Structure formats: structure tokens, C-alpha cells
Amino acid sequence: MAFVEGSHHVTLSVAGAQEDVDFHVKVLGMRLIKRTVLFDGSLPIYHLYYSNAAGDPSSVVTTFPWAQAGFFGKRGTNQAREVLLSVPHDSLDFWHRRLTEHEVEVGNIEVFGQRRLAFRHPSGIEYVFVGNTGDDRVGHAGYGVPPECAIHGIHGVGVHVATPDRMVEFAEESFFSQGRLAEEGDRAALQIGNAKYGNHLELTVNRTDDQGTWGYGAGTYHHFAWNVGNLRNQDEVKFDIEGRGYTDISELKDRKYFKSVYVRTPGGALFELAVTHPEGGWTCDESPKELGTRFQLPEQFEHRREEILARLEPIEI
């Protein structure tokens, strides 16, 4: 039977490349594991990857810095909105101090009876730290973040919807939801797949904001990727979704480190069905210790290396 294991990665359209690196590496302490470029289209745009210590699926945040190209998006409803990251439950005080010290405005919020921290990426994208116990993914201790406070990985994705019933129907009938974990006011949490962590889909009813943009544009979510384990299962998941009538789904795309299929959900969020490439994944072109130290290009762009580097915003790591 077809299945979804849990999350794989999240991809965001941010503004500047350097401010993005500084935010994820120097403030959040995440590990930069890959520097490459966007596979789609003809514009040379960075694709930057950040993760926990091991680069586990379910721990990776990736970004496209679009400001250099003049592409800007609009956050709104019917769109993925919040990047939900899992941190040790007793680390929230540390993170509140650290974010404040780095001049990142941070607020305490309560969701489903639990304290969380809400803050924003420099481009405006909403981030939320969710405290968890029993999450055994190993965080990356970087730039003064101690191991006991480091980010485990992804907790899930927050999606804003004008008509939640259609998104719940999709999750429960077509996307392997294991049921609703909690409901509170205009918010509901669902579990996707059987993974122990990283698989929360949180829906917020939002009928006040305008429709958010779906294309590439700084300041917006682009997609959330779910781990479907292997290529055969990926085909089966795709066929199941298409069989339910959701035919706004892509053909298979080879992203070098993983293979992907994309589906536009009825709640507007773009979901990806991802399979880590069997021939090494992140380590197909760099050793585990070297991850993120060299600028990588897909083979079809290698002959344009000097041109592409000259057109990209210089970044210091």
C-alpha cells in the first residue's frame, strides 16, 4: 500500500542570500549542507540547504534568494505560511534570549495549550519554534548554540486556508493523514504518515487576508516536501492522488539529491513527494564532513560555472 513517511524538507523564497545564510547559520545555528542553484528556468538563482547535524530527511530547510532577480511575493491565505521547527522542550527560554540578543523580534504564543516562540525570517516569513520531548534527531551545535538546545529538525507546516474542509478532506482521503491531533478555535493539527516527528500539518482558517502568491517571490513559502521513501511508492502515491481527481500534479523531476513530484493542494499549498536519491543523496558530490563547503552545479550547468558565479550575489560563509 502507498504511504507517506513524514516530512523531507521545506523550500522558501527569501530575499537576500547573505542575510539568509546569516540568519540560518549564525542565528539559528543550523548547518549549511549544500550550495547549488535552482534547476527550473534560466535565471541563475542560489538554492541553499540548511539542516541539523546529520542532514536527516525531515530536518532540511532550503531557500531561493529572489531579491537579486527582483521577484517578490505576497503572503496571504490559501498558502503555506509557517515554518514549524522542533526544538528541545526546555530550550525555549534559551532561544527567546538568543533571538532577542540577535535583534530578532520574538513572541511567546500558546497553541494547543503549549508555549511556542514566534519570529520571522529577515524576508518576513513566519517561523515558529515548537518544544518537543523525545525527538532524537541530533541538532547542529553551531555559532554558540549548545547541543542540548539545537534545532532537531522540521516539526511540520502551517497552512492558511479560506475553506478548511477541502484541505482536511484531501489530507484524510488522499494524503495519508493519521487523524486529527488537536483542534482549537480556527486551528487544527493533523498527522501525516507514521513518522514519530516532523509530520504535523497545521491548518489555520484565514478569511481576512487576500489570496497569497503561489509562484517564486521573496518573502513567501514555495513548497513543503513529504518523504515517500522510494520511487515505486512515489508512483503509487501519485496515482492514488490522481485517482481522487487531483490532477494538478507534475511529472517526475530529478533534483540530483532527490527525485520529486509536486501537487497543488485544494488549500493552495504546494506539496512535494520526495525520494532521496539512492546514490548518496547529499553526499553524492561531497563527503559528510565537506557538506556545504563547495559550490555545486548540476551537470547541465557545469559549462556555465564562471558565468553563473559572476551573476550570483557573493556570499561569505
Side-chain angles (χ1 to χ4, degrees), residues 202-220:
E202 296 191 0
L203 304 177
T204 298
V205 179
N206 181 346
R207 299 190 179 100
T208 57
D209 288 348
D210 291 337
Q211 167 73 50
T213 52
W214 287 353
Y216 294 126
T220 58

Side-chain angles (χ1 to χ4, degrees), residues 35-220:
R35 282 181 281 166
T36 182
V37 294
L38 174 67
F39 276 58
D40 298 327
S42 59
L43 283 173
I45 297 294
Y46 280 120
H47 196 179
L48 306 173
Y49 294 67
Y50 311 92
S51 78
N52 65 5
D56 301 315
S58 81
S59 78
V60 180
V61 176
T62 88
T63 62
F64 301 129
W66 278 106
Q68 184 178 11
F71 287 20
F72 293 88
K74 179 181 179 181
R75 291 183 298 280
T77 194
N78 298 329
Q79 185 190 59
R81 286 280 293 266
E82 291 98 11
V83 181
L84 307 177
L85 297 178
S86 174
V87 297
H89 188 268
D90 56 2
S91 71
L92 293 177
D93 287 341
F94 164 83
W95 280 111
H96 194 286
R97 290 193 303 272
R98 181 175 175 86
L99 291 167
T100 301
E101 289 168 0
H102 283 82
E103 300 182 344
V104 176
E105 185 175 344
V106 56
N108 290 292
I109 60 174
E110 184 174 310
V111 178
F112 305 128
Q114 299 289 330
R115 177 191 176 196
R116 295 180 174 184
L117 298 181
F119 57 101
R120 290 179 183 263
H121 184 280
S123 65
I125 297 171
E126 296 131 311
Y127 277 54
V128 178
F129 276 160
V130 181
N132 283 303
T133 56
D135 188 336
D136 58 6
R137 294 172 294 177
V138 179
H140 182 248
Y143 278 88
V145 176
E148 65 272 17
C149 296
I151 297 168
H152 292 303
I154 295 167
H155 177 79
V157 54
V159 178
H160 286 215
V161 290
T163 53
D165 291 350
R166 299 289 74 77
M167 191 65 178
V168 171
E169 179 183 79
F170 173 80
E172 293 182 344
E173 296 183 359
S174 307
F175 212 73
F176 310 95
S177 170
Q178 303 301 304
R180 303 186 195 190
L181 298 173
E183 292 187 52
E184 178 183 87
D186 289 337
R187 188 190 299 257
L190 293 81
Q191 177 181 327
I192 304 297
N194 291 315
K196 294 186 296 182
Y197 39 69
N199 58 354
H200 287 228
L201 169 60
E202 296 191 0
L203 304 177
T204 298
V205 179
N206 181 346
R207 299 190 179 100
T208 57
D209 288 348
D210 291 337
Q211 167 73 50
T213 52
W214 287 353
Y216 294 126
T220 58

